[in-house]
Amino acid sequence: MSMIEIGNLDVWFGDGHDRVDAVRQASFSVAEGESFGLVGESGSGKSTILRAITGLAPTWSGQITIEGETLTGKARTRKFYKNVQMVFQDPYASLHPRHSVDQVLGETLHLHGFKDIDARVVKLLDDVGLGGRFRFRYPHQLSGGQRQRVAIARALAGEPDILLLDEPTSALDVSVQAEILNLLTDLRDERKLTYVMVSHDLAVVGHMCDRLAVMKDGEIVEVMSVDALRKMEASHPYSQALLKASIAA
């Protein structure tokens, strides 16, 4: 079953002479349980695709189908936000500084209509490797990795089928990046989740994903398997250059 279908997606900002085409004619699909990567340099349009899916991009055309439901415009239903959640790059900016972890998770669970909120908060914290001792702490009392674990717990609160991961480890210290990636891998297996992960780091995509799309200047230039990535078997010149640069780095 295909969980995500993107067809001939265009995303732009502004009008007339001020128009900027951020994504042009992007097409790909993501199967149930798959982890799909979007890679490319900054400004290539990777995160803009996620914003279009979630209704955060102002103007777009083309086809976005999620679990068989075709989306239009910016409006998204309550059902959509239960089934699709996003984890952002900066875990500090995405958490309210005056809300405790308990408030962040409790309010999210309430919005999703759950009743047994106390038990679910504890379970979510356990699931992301924090535990109950972090329940009443505030974001400024947490490390970057701990904040990202809270953000992941919040994303899981509605029991979604799909997680959109926008550079989820790039703002973290190298020492904790692997911990978060391993957590996401375990959660995907345990909860049968489908991922779309944006990253500029080919090593991260190679660790996390089954397939990937390479983006350049708003366009997808190649879709390839992670096996092909590991074997350096890219066919497009830009993809080949990215691979060589990653080895040199």
Side-chain angles (χ1 to χ4, degrees):
M1 174 183 173
S2 180
M3 297 291 277
I4 301 172
E5 291 279 353
I6 305 294
N8 300 320
L9 178 67
D10 291 325
V11 185
W12 65 93
F13 303 94
D15 293 303
H17 294 298
D18 296 325
R19 172 165 165 158
V20 176
D21 293 300
V23 176
R24 297 191 298 275
Q25 294 293 291
S27 297
F28 62 89
S29 64
V30 185
E32 183 176 8
E34 185 178 18
S35 183
F36 187 86
L38 293 170
V39 302
E41 297 172 321
S42 296
S44 61
K46 309 182 300 294
S47 296
T48 303
I49 289 178
L50 300 192
R51 294 176 69 83
I53 293 172
T54 54
L56 297 174
T59 44
W60 63 274
S61 65
Q63 177 189 346
I64 302 176
T65 302
I66 304 296
E67 294 186 279
E69 180 178 346
T70 299
L71 308 180
T72 59
K74 293 193 293 182
R76 299 290 179 265
T77 64
R78 185 172 180 176
K79 177 185 174 184
F80 172 88
Y81 286 118
K82 182 173 176 60
N83 293 339
V84 182
Q85 283 290 309
M86 189 159 166
V87 177
F88 294 91
Q89 178 177 6
D90 185 347
Y92 193 80
S94 69
L95 298 175
H96 195 298
R98 293 193 178 92
H99 286 186
S100 67
V101 172
D102 183 70
Q103 289 174 288
V104 169
L105 299 181
E107 289 176 6
T108 304
L109 288 162
H110 177 74
L111 287 172
H112 285 300
F114 292 110
K115 302 299 182 185
D116 51 340
I117 288 177
D118 280 352
R120 285 182 176 270
V121 167
V122 173
K123 176 70 163 54
L124 284 168
L125 290 174
D126 286 341
D127 286 349
V128 297
L130 288 178
R133 68 187 186 280
F134 290 91
R135 183 173 176 180
F136 298 104
R137 295 187 188 180
Y138 289 83
H140 71 272
Q141 297 173 310
L142 305 175
S143 68
Q146 290 165 349
R147 287 194 291 265
Q148 194 63 297
R149 288 175 188 268
V150 173
I152 293 168
R154 179 179 58 187
L156 295 174
E159 299 181 349
D161 300 319
I162 298 168
L163 284 191
L164 307 177
L165 307 169
D166 189 5
E167 300 267 15
T169 61
S170 63
L172 304 177
D173 293 338
V174 173
S175 59
V176 298
Q177 286 183 6
E179 294 177 8
I180 298 300
L181 293 174
N182 289 335
L183 170 65
L184 288 168
T185 299
D186 291 343
L187 290 169
R188 177 187 163 206
D189 292 339
E190 292 165 6
R191 294 173 175 251
K192 311 302 181 187
L193 294 166
T194 300
Y195 286 169
V196 179
M197 169 177 272
V198 162
S199 182
H200 66 276
D201 190 331
L202 288 176
V204 167
V205 171
H207 176 72
M208 287 290 298
C209 299
D210 306 303
R211 292 186 303 131
L212 63 142
V214 180
M215 296 194 69
K216 182 180 187 298
D217 299 330
E219 297 182 348
I220 292 177
V221 299
E222 182 172 0
V223 176
M224 60 193 297
S225 69
V226 165
D227 283 343
L229 173 75
R230 291 169 180 160
K231 294 175 183 177
M232 302 289 288
E233 292 178 346
S235 59
H236 192 277
Y238 178 72
S239 305
Q240 293 169 357
L242 269 185
L243 287 173
K244 290 177 183 176
S246 70
I247 293 173

